[in-house]
Amino acid sequence: MGEIARVYLSCHTPRLCNHEAAFGGKLAHPDFQPLREGLIAQGRDVAQAGLDVVVLNSCHLISTFPTVADGTPRHRGILTAQEAPELIRGVEYDFPGDYELASAIIERARAAGHLTTLANDPHYPLDYGTVMPMVCYLDRAQRIPVVPISVCLMSDLEECFRWGEQIAAAVRELDRRAAFVASGAVSHKLVRAPERWPAPEDQELDHRFARLLADGEYAKLRAWLPEFAEAAEAETGGRHLAMMLGVIMGSGGRFSATIHAYGPSSGSGNYVITLARAA
Ligand SMILES: [Fe+2]
């Protein structure tokens, strides 16, 4: 039987992607260093986790009506990020997909009454929230199959949570050893100053979120999520966090947490956290 072996809360701070090209090997600001080191540590964990597949929900893979699961068997392209062409420029990606798992997720989500679409198209473009963490840090060798899932703007937090449950169920059914990646910030009150931290009260909200997650207080976190998302203006309304919680609770397991890093990006708060399934 398959299982969710890892859950990664990750980030996609554009300055951490092509920093060698953009800044001559230097980070734009030393405050970005912990996030960078956290992503590197998360990549080390991915390398030794023995994963068959990664299911990734990115805050920048946006759909409006249905939630899209990308089952394209091979994801191949060159990414220049629309909103940060100077920071994420010409990033080549070429990694496998998992059509069977994407189809199973879609079937389950449909049966549960969700509006959903399966992409199976080599021209379906991937976003920087998917490509940046996967290709620059989590799996630089690009060996592990990835199923990208969109954030649907018409879905509420409950629907995203239910989606997460369907992902966990499909993984179990198909006998995959899988990881789920939530690629997005926690608090997200953006300002035009890359190195700016969130306000102290928003940092406190972020830390409370991380503590509940690390302590395995999943039900409490689920109950608090709508309030957190509103108060902290979580990225995409916290939809990626709701899906992550659905995966965790739908998998029925306990996880031990490693909090790698917390850091800023233009006023947003970003955590890099690894949850490893407890034996
Ligand atoms: Fe973002």
Side-chain angles (χ1 to χ4, degrees), residues 161-176:
F161 181 88
R162 298 279 174 214
W163 253 90
E165 289 182 322
Q166 302 306 329
I167 291 167
V171 160
R172 219 167 21 240
E173 196 175 276
L174 261 63
D175 206 20
R176 298 289 197 274

Side-chain angles (χ1 to χ4, degrees), residues 12 59-60 128 183-185 188 235:
H12 48 248
C59 290
H60 293 260
Y128 81 83
S183 172
H188 199 250
E235 188 163 18

Side-chain angles (χ1 to χ4, degrees), residues 239-252:
R239 290 175 175 87
H240 61 309
L241 305 172
M243 194 178 285
M244 178 181 76
L245 275 173
V247 169
I248 291 170
M249 295 178 77
S251 78

Side-chain angles (χ1 to χ4, degrees), residues 11-14 58-60 83 128-129 183-185 188 190 235-236 265 268 270:
C11 69
H12 48 248
T13 311
S58 160
C59 290
H60 293 260
E83 59 179 292
Y128 81 83
S183 172
H188 199 250
L190 297 181
E235 188 163 18
T236 61
S265 182
S268 69
N270 297 267

Side-chain angles (χ1 to χ4, degrees), residues 29-47:
H29 192 280
D31 285 6
F32 292 126
Q33 189 63 25
L35 285 180
R36 180 166 187 267
E37 282 167 12
L39 288 167
I40 291 169
Q42 217 164 43
R44 278 197 296 269
D45 186 82
V46 169

Side-chain angles (χ1 to χ4, degrees), residues 56-269:
L56 190 149
N57 184 221
S58 160
C59 290
H60 293 260
L61 189 62
I62 297 288
S63 56
T64 304
F65 298 103
T67 300
V68 178
D70 181 2
T72 306
R74 189 95 203 163
H75 307 284
R76 193 179 288 141
I78 302 175
L79 175 76
T80 294
Q82 279 179 315
E83 59 179 292
E86 81 288 21
L87 297 173
I88 300 181
R89 182 177 62 196
V91 178
E92 291 183 38
Y93 61 91
D94 184 0
F95 51 84
D98 187 337
Y99 179 81
E100 195 185 3
L101 179 60
S103 304
I105 292 169
I106 289 278
E107 267 171 41
R108 286 192 142 272
R110 219 166 254 162
H114 300 305
L115 188 64
T116 177
T117 295
L118 176 68
N120 179 14
D121 184 338
H123 304 296
Y124 187 75
L126 291 182
D127 63 300
Y128 81 83
T130 300
V131 171
M132 182 277 185
M134 282 312 304
V135 172
C136 300
Y137 291 97
L138 300 189
D139 183 25
R140 290 174 65 96
Q142 302 190 59
R143 291 205 185 96
I144 304 172
V146 179
V147 176
I149 309 277
S150 74
V151 165
C152 173
L153 296 179
M154 291 188 78
S155 65
D156 59 16
L157 293 179
E158 180 62 20
E159 183 177 329
C160 296
F161 181 88
R162 298 279 174 214
W163 253 90
E165 289 182 322
Q166 302 306 329
I167 291 167
V171 160
R172 219 167 21 240
E173 196 175 276
L174 261 63
D175 206 20
R176 298 289 197 274
R177 182 174 167 80
F180 178 82
V181 179
S183 172
V186 271
S187 68
H188 199 250
K189 296 180 183 174
L190 297 181
V191 293
R192 283 172 162 160
E195 68 282 2
R196 183 82 58 81
W197 287 78
E201 61 270 25
D202 291 321
Q203 292 188 40
E204 191 41 54
L205 289 170
D206 290 346
H207 298 333
R208 185 173 162 199
F209 180 94
R211 272 197 305 272
L212 286 169
L213 184 63
D215 291 347
E217 298 278 10
Y218 309 133
K220 269 191 198 166
L221 190 50
R222 185 188 177 192
W224 182 57
L225 185 63
E227 189 187 327
F228 166 75
E230 193 176 343
E233 297 179 17
E235 188 163 18
T236 61
R239 290 175 175 87
H240 61 309
L241 305 172
M243 194 178 285
M244 178 181 76
L245 275 173
V247 169
I248 291 170
M249 295 178 77
S251 78
R254 305 292 298 174
F255 294 83
S256 62
T258 304
I259 299 179
H260 300 290
Y262 176 72
S265 182
S266 301
S268 69

